[in-house]
Amino acid sequence: MRILDGRYPDVVLCISWLCFGRCRGQRMTGCSELMKRMDSCEIRGETYMHRFLRSVGFSTYQKKREIEKMLAELEGTAVRRRIQIDPETNLTELRAEVAPGMGIVMAGETDENGVFRREYYYPYLEGSDASSDADCSIQRHAEKETYAGLLDEYRVGISLIFYLDNAFEYRERKLDRASRKSKSVKLTGLALEGKILLPLHKTRKQIEMAKVATKNHNSLLEAAKKGDEDAMETLTVEDIDMYSQISRRVMKEDIYSIVDSSFMPCGIECDQYAVIGEIVKVEVKENRFTKEEVYDLTLDCNDMVFHVGIGKRDLLGEPKVGRRFKGQIWMLGVVEFEDQT
């Protein structure tokens, strides 16, 4: 969480509770990956849709039969990639784009007759901005051939977990024994709903002071990670002072005039977060299949830039550069790998 002076108090969980109503606290490095429920698909009754399908413009598709028909139509225009794992097993990915940089990924296997057998699917949104160059570790999910990435990103103060969007490339590199060391990660989020908040008025001097304070705070965090006891003590004192300052201000000020941006885990799944971030770019994309419009918002949250996709009808307020977005997102990421040397 970032307050106006650019610091990240780890102890002010009450602020997160006031912002989002619930909070899981700080996630520690090396936390175990929770088992996912059918890739966020609801499997009760007749609802078999991916929860975030509406985030890329498929809000009207609710029933299994409708979704099956839609996916079958998209298969005809999708870009197909296939790798042979062994003589009897292959991995096939179909990426169907319904707008520039947005669409649905279908993964499965191609049988001996050349027929694609889909095992799972998920919506995606591509980002153009490198969000992080922190060390990234990748692990396979327990139930199927999907992967999660983990970033030890000190700017958000947690181990950031995301759903790997370029898992096919990762699997291909693994088979070819190519380098799987990450160079950078492009993060994107999909939201079911969100709100637009008015911006905070900050003078040029306040902005510059916030940048300096953030730089100093990040330097202390880096030193603390290496075992510097003085840095640990300084961070602890700063957190106590910040907690005291916020406790006084929250009695008289609105919470969103105190909180500039926030990035907190939300829910029971590891890759979902409640965020507040400043909008730095707004783009509208039209789903060619449904004609629904989707906002592609570029956010600056805790000095980390990433994209968020949300249906136009699901966003409360008009997004403009300088205003803030508040919502819960499912985080995806594309890892850019280093070339083999």
Side-chain angles (χ1 to χ4, degrees), residues 95-130:
R95 191 168 287 258
E97 192 174 72
V98 297
M102 184 180 79
I104 293 178
V105 173
M106 293 166 277
E109 190 174 3
T110 303
D111 63 19
E112 60 275 8
N113 298 320
V115 179
F116 173 67
R117 304 295 183 184
R118 185 178 65 253
E119 296 178 4
Y120 64 91
Y121 73 95
Y122 65 90
Y124 76 91
L125 175 70
E126 294 178 354
S128 57
D129 302 287

Side-chain angles (χ1 to χ4, degrees), residues 110-260:
T110 303
D111 63 19
E112 60 275 8
N113 298 320
V115 179
F116 173 67
R117 304 295 183 184
R118 185 178 65 253
E119 296 178 4
Y120 64 91
Y121 73 95
Y122 65 90
Y124 76 91
L125 175 70
E126 294 178 354
S128 57
D129 302 287
S131 305
S132 175
D133 57 3
D135 291 336
C136 178
S137 60
I138 298 173
Q139 292 186 359
R140 183 185 185 277
H141 291 138
E143 60 184 288
K144 55 181 175 288
E145 193 74 22
T146 57
Y147 295 84
L150 186 145
L151 287 169
D152 193 11
E153 181 56 72
Y154 58 82
R155 286 179 294 179
V156 295
I158 59 174
S159 295
L160 193 157
I161 297 174
F162 61 90
Y163 188 96
L164 186 64
D165 186 25
N166 59 331
F168 188 91
E169 180 186 357
Y170 175 80
R171 193 73 173 87
E172 195 172 34
R173 282 177 168 268
K174 188 176 180 180
L175 286 173
D176 296 339
R177 296 183 178 179
S179 172
R180 285 170 282 156
K181 182 176 176 59
S182 67
K183 182 166 60 176
S184 63
V185 179
K186 298 177 181 178
L187 295 173
T188 58
L190 295 178
L192 297 176
E193 59 182 8
K195 298 179 181 178
I196 297 299
L197 304 178
L198 292 176
L200 295 177
H201 175 70
K202 292 178 281 188
T203 64
R204 186 180 298 274
K205 183 178 180 181
Q206 286 177 317
I207 295 173
E208 293 300 322
M209 289 176 62
K211 290 181 179 179
V212 172
T214 300
K215 184 178 179 180
N216 293 338
H217 190 78
N218 291 342
S219 298
L220 287 172
L221 284 173
E222 192 68 27
K225 285 172 59 179
K226 297 177 180 179
D228 190 328
E229 294 185 1
D230 291 336
M232 296 179 191
E233 184 177 348
T234 302
L235 287 169
T236 302
V237 172
E238 285 186 357
D239 283 346
I240 294 173
D241 291 343
M242 186 62 65
Y243 179 83
S244 176
Q245 178 185 347
I246 293 172
S247 297
R248 291 193 301 268
R249 291 183 59 183
V250 78
M251 302 299 293
K252 299 180 180 179
E253 300 180 44
D254 180 79
I255 190 66
Y256 297 115
S257 67
I258 301 174
V259 177
D260 184 7

